[in-house]
């Protein structure tokens, strides 16, 4: 268990240190985390997942990079990409993304 916690901490550090440059490998990392959690049910995988989500959802440039990568996949290898399992999830994400407007100001807190 300590070994997995140490590996998760190392991965967490890599995500924070690399930021948006980690975008190319983040999908494979998330899939691996999900598979390991389903096998071992260790909380360190949940923590790592939450940190990855926090890192990539609080940065509009991370989302932009994701969509840029997707557009390149569609442009250069459409048959492979559209028939992949990732494509329907990306379309869902795009549908949500078009309703979000990024702002440099903080949104008001509603109670």
């Amino acid at each position: 268990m300590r070994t997995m916690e140490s590996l998760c901490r190392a991965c967490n550090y890599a995500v924070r240190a690399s930021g948006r440059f980690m975008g190319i490998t983040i999908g494979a990392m998330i899939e691996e985390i999900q598979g390991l959690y389903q096998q071992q049910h260790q909380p360190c995988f949940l923590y790592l997942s939450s940190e990855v989500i926090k890192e990539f959802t609080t940065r509009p440039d991370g989302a932009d990079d994701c969509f840029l990568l997707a557009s390149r996949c569609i442009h250069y290898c459409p048959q492979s990409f559209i028939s992949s399992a990732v494509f329907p999830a990306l379309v869902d994400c795009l549908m949500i993304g078009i309703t979000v407007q990024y702002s440099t100001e903080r949104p008001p807190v509603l109670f």
Side-chain angles (χ1 to χ4, degrees), residues 16-59:
R16 284 186 293 165
S18 301
R20 66 187 183 105
F21 298 106
M22 185 98 180
I24 294 170
T25 59
I26 201 69
M29 183 179 176
I30 291 293
E31 287 179 18
E32 188 66 27
I33 293 168
Q34 288 174 343
L36 288 169
Y37 180 75
Q38 289 175 351
Q39 292 171 359
Q40 301 177 13
H41 301 288
Q42 293 185 19
C44 61
F45 296 122
L46 294 177
Y47 173 75
L48 179 56
S49 297
S50 71
E51 289 298 307
V52 169
I53 290 168
K54 181 175 75 173
E55 185 69 26
F56 280 88
T57 58
T58 57
R59 293 185 177 180

Side-chain angles (χ1 to χ4, degrees), residues 33-94:
I33 293 168
Q34 288 174 343
L36 288 169
Y37 180 75
Q38 289 175 351
Q39 292 171 359
Q40 301 177 13
H41 301 288
Q42 293 185 19
C44 61
F45 296 122
L46 294 177
Y47 173 75
L48 179 56
S49 297
S50 71
E51 289 298 307
V52 169
I53 290 168
K54 181 175 75 173
E55 185 69 26
F56 280 88
T57 58
T58 57
R59 293 185 177 180
D61 57 339
D64 291 342
D65 288 347
C66 174
F67 293 126
L68 176 61
L69 176 62
S71 70
R72 287 183 179 164
C73 289
I74 291 170
H75 180 73
Y76 291 108
C77 52
Q79 281 81 16
S80 299
F81 187 67
I82 291 172
S83 63
S84 75
V86 173
F87 188 71
L90 178 67
V91 171
D92 291 342
C93 188
L94 287 167

